[in-house]
Amino acid sequence: MRKRKGGKERGQNAGKQQGNQPAQQGENQAEAPKPAPVEEGPPPTDDRAAQKEIKPEKIAPVTEEKGKRVERAPDIEDVRRRPRPQGANVVREFGDRVILQFNNQTFVESSDAPRMHRGARNVYYEDLSGDRTREIVERDNGVRIVTIRNRYGDVIQRSRIAPDGREYVLSYVDERNYDYDADWRDPGDDLPPMRLTIPQEEYILDSEEVEDPDDYYTFLERPPVERVQRLYSIDEVKRSARVRDIARRIDLDTLNFEFGSASISDTEVQKLEGVANAMDKLLKKNPAESFLIEGHTDAVGRPEANLALSDRRAEAVAEALTNAFGIPPENLTTQGYGEEYLKVNTSGPNRENRRVAIRRITPLVAPVASAQ
């Protein structure tokens, strides 16, 4: 008999609720009044419809601003030394991962530099105005990955520049949406409670129920389940349960992690083939696609240690997708959520809770026009 699911998977489990009940707010602890729900009708039919509320704006090329070359890697590459907003406190360090508390939330930070830099011909940095930093990763095939970060290391713009000079905007956020006194406020606070009007299986795909590998592609290419009010930074998406809930989710239930481990055996890696092929097919249509890989643990052990472990699990899956199936690392972003969102409501060890999930977050972080 299948165990009852649900439990603590708040916010990220809107699709498992009955009828049109609103999703819980997940990582949001504040009880501030929310805007009233807006009757938007059925979910958007495509990404362009999902971004209908976003006013078009001219995005300057990621290399347009002149920068000053710096010889050393900036502090943002080492998460242990990054500057952070006032009130963001480091709770503990686990190797190259940092556990932070901010606004009654506890979350893990890590650097994507090891994945992004592997095999690069050259990596260099430039200082920009406003305490921003530009990173340029040059690859042997002539591709450049250019990332602009703000002073806290948040990615505010990332592009892939092809050898022919064409720029694909992978992520972009209007810096005016960041207030220096509250850079890490939850943008989900600006949204009404979520009202999911579609069946669960159209919102969350369990890989253990997939019979045809093409189902992954069919599911991933679907647009968000509600309109996107503005473009978010990748870091905002990672930190906000309410914003993540806008995007559909694949639960990789068939991928198993041993207790306390983030390692993936060759046998387990092959279980990623279906979703990897779907990603590759989407990237052939739009090289600017972005996918969020979420890591999770069961509820055994200290919550802080589980956050670090889940983050390593997400990173291990991203590494496997790149190394085994050729998915470019810049199209993948990772985040661990520890035991916060249990799939099976139990405090004991449970293999189903030791899992990863994948969302296509492109419509949340990049303008649709960039895919044309």
Side-chain angles (χ1 to χ4, degrees):
M1 178 179 293
R2 190 176 179 86
K3 297 179 181 177
R4 183 174 66 84
K5 298 183 178 181
K8 292 171 61 182
E9 199 168 2
R10 303 184 302 272
Q12 298 199 325
N13 200 20
K16 293 187 181 295
Q17 299 188 35
Q18 299 298 317
N20 295 334
Q21 294 297 316
Q24 299 293 325
Q25 295 308 304
E27 292 143 352
N28 281 335
Q29 300 297 321
E31 296 296 332
K34 303 290 183 181
V38 177
E39 290 294 343
E40 293 186 338
T45 55
D46 55 30
D47 288 354
R48 188 175 297 278
Q51 291 191 354
K52 186 177 180 180
E53 302 300 322
I54 300 176
K55 295 181 180 179
E57 58 180 295
K58 183 179 180 181
I59 299 177
V62 73
T63 56
E64 181 176 76
E65 182 177 347
K66 185 176 181 180
K68 179 182 179 182
R69 183 82 169 259
V70 292
E71 296 303 322
R72 65 176 182 82
D75 288 346
I76 58 171
E77 188 174 305
D78 184 347
V79 295
R80 294 168 297 184
R81 301 187 309 184
R82 282 181 183 173
R84 295 183 174 90
Q86 184 177 1
N89 300 314
V90 175
V91 177
R92 189 169 177 182
E93 296 180 5
F94 290 89
D96 57 354
R97 283 167 169 78
V98 173
I99 308 301
L100 298 172
Q101 283 186 342
F102 185 77
N103 280 350
N104 297 317
Q105 297 184 49
T106 303
F107 55 93
V108 59
E109 269 199 335
S110 58
S111 174
D112 63 4
R115 289 193 304 109
M116 296 289 293
H117 297 176
R118 188 167 294 121
R121 179 177 62 194
N122 188 27
V123 179
Y124 61 95
Y125 298 89
E126 296 173 341
D127 284 341
L128 303 177
S129 61
D131 291 328
R132 295 171 302 143
T133 300
R134 182 163 56 208
E135 174 193 77
I136 298 92
V137 178
E138 297 178 341
R139 301 206 172 118
D140 288 336
N141 59 4
V143 169
R144 288 180 294 159
I145 308 303
V146 184
T147 304
I148 296 178
R149 292 181 172 88
N150 68 5
R151 60 175 177 167
Y152 301 132
D154 284 5
V155 175
I156 54 179
Q157 189 169 351
R158 172 171 285 165
S159 293
R160 179 195 290 119
I161 301 178
D164 63 3
R166 179 168 182 178
E167 178 176 344
Y168 297 91
V169 180
L170 301 175
S171 63
Y172 170 83
V173 64
D174 188 337
E175 293 180 73
R176 291 173 298 182
N177 289 322
Y178 280 86
D179 178 85
Y180 268 83
D181 293 327
D183 277 334
W184 286 358
R185 67 178 297 275
D186 188 342
D189 290 344
D190 299 330
L191 301 176
M194 186 176 181
R195 298 176 66 92
L196 193 66
T197 59
I198 59 176
Q200 169 188 325
E201 60 270 17
E202 294 181 18
Y203 181 58
I204 299 174
L205 177 66
D206 288 320
S207 61
E208 62 184 7
E209 298 174 1
V210 172
E211 298 180 355
D212 185 344
D214 289 340
D215 290 346
Y216 286 115
Y217 176 79
T218 302
F219 187 87
L220 278 176
E221 74 168 345
R222 290 174 177 170
V225 296
E226 62 182 42
R227 291 179 183 173
V228 182
Q229 300 303 308
R230 69 168 174 86
L231 294 180
Y232 302 96
S233 75
I234 286 178
D235 298 276
E236 285 180 310
V237 174
K238 292 197 293 186
R239 290 192 290 256
S240 174
R242 176 62 181 90
V243 172
R244 287 194 304 279
D245 275 351
I246 299 172
R248 304 170 200 250
R249 187 180 87 218
I250 294 177
D251 281 348
L252 296 179
D253 302 293
T254 55
L255 183 67
N256 294 315
F257 291 93
E258 294 300 324
F259 180 77
S261 173
S263 298
I264 308 177
S265 67
D266 290 343
T267 301
E268 295 299 306
V269 168
Q270 291 309 308
K271 294 178 181 178
L272 295 171
E273 182 175 10
V275 72
N277 288 340
M279 288 179 171
D280 184 63
K281 188 175 180 180
L282 284 163
L283 288 167
K284 283 182 168 61
K285 291 174 58 179
N286 174 21
E289 295 282 6
S290 288
F291 304 93
L292 171 63
I293 302 174
E294 307 172 0
H296 301 274
T297 69
D298 54 30
V300 180
R302 296 185 60 182
E304 294 86 359
N306 284 336
L307 275 170
L309 174 60
S310 65
D311 204 55
R312 293 198 301 271
R313 285 175 175 166
E315 183 180 61
V317 170
E319 293 275 16
L321 288 168
T322 297
N323 297 336
F325 302 103
I327 305 301
E330 62 269 19
N331 296 103
L332 306 172
T333 190
T334 63
Q335 183 65 35
Y337 296 102
E339 61 188 69
E340 179 68 15
Y341 305 104
L342 297 178
K343 196 173 183 71
V344 179
N345 188 16
T346 176
S347 60
N350 186 281
R351 191 175 290 274
E352 286 191 69
N353 287 329
R354 304 194 292 268
R355 72 194 194 282
V356 294
I358 295 177
R359 301 179 196 259
R360 186 178 72 91
I361 61 171
T362 312
L364 305 183
V365 300
V368 172
S370 69
Q372 295 181 339

